[in-house]
Amino acid sequence: MANVTFSSPAMNKDVTVYATAGDCHTLLAVAQKNKLPIHFECENGECGSCAVEVSILSNRQPMGMHLTEKEKVALKLAGKISREQIEQSELSDIPPPWRLACQYIVRDEDILVKF
């Protein structure tokens, strides 16, 4: 089980929900299931409207999956990450903090999601 805490000025308070690791649900699907207001449009990684900042809340190596090609393009066009940050994340095997909620698969780690 993973604790996923959502934080946004659009909400009265932070909300922590439980996500079952291995279900392969996206962060957006977890938010929708719990009626949390992450903005989205295409749900396919094309538009970048569901960009969120993800922080790992444990002292372990992050388990988050690498950026998808769609994320690289959308986040770079949105000015959330640079080419250098993409290259560094691939070299260090640690994903950057900005992700697309429709592409990020929730893993067995506690995270903070700001949007």
Side-chain angles (χ1 to χ4, degrees), residues 1-3 18-25 63 105-109:
M1 295 287 271
N3 289 318
Y18 299 103
T20 305
D23 279 350
C24 295
H25 289 123
M63 297 172 64
I105 304 294
V106 178
R107 308 297 292 249
D108 187 17
E109 62 187 349

Side-chain angles (χ1 to χ4, degrees), residues 42-105:
C42 73
E43 294 184 72
N44 191 31
E46 304 282 333
C47 70
S49 65
C50 65
V52 295
E53 188 174 9
V54 178
S55 301
I56 308 302
L57 299 177
S58 69
N59 293 326
R60 297 184 291 160
Q61 174 80 10
M63 297 172 64
M65 297 173 66
H66 291 287
L67 291 169
T68 65
E69 291 304 315
K70 289 180 180 182
E71 282 182 293
K72 290 175 188 177
V73 171
L75 291 171
K76 190 171 178 209
L77 287 174
K80 300 292 185 187
I81 59 172
S82 66
R83 167 59 48 205
E84 293 78 24
Q85 288 173 306
I86 292 171
E87 290 171 3
Q88 183 60 34
S89 73
E90 292 171 346
L91 291 173
S92 66
D93 203 28
I94 297 174
W98 284 97
R99 302 300 301 260
L100 296 182
C102 70
Q103 300 292 298
Y104 185 92
I105 304 294

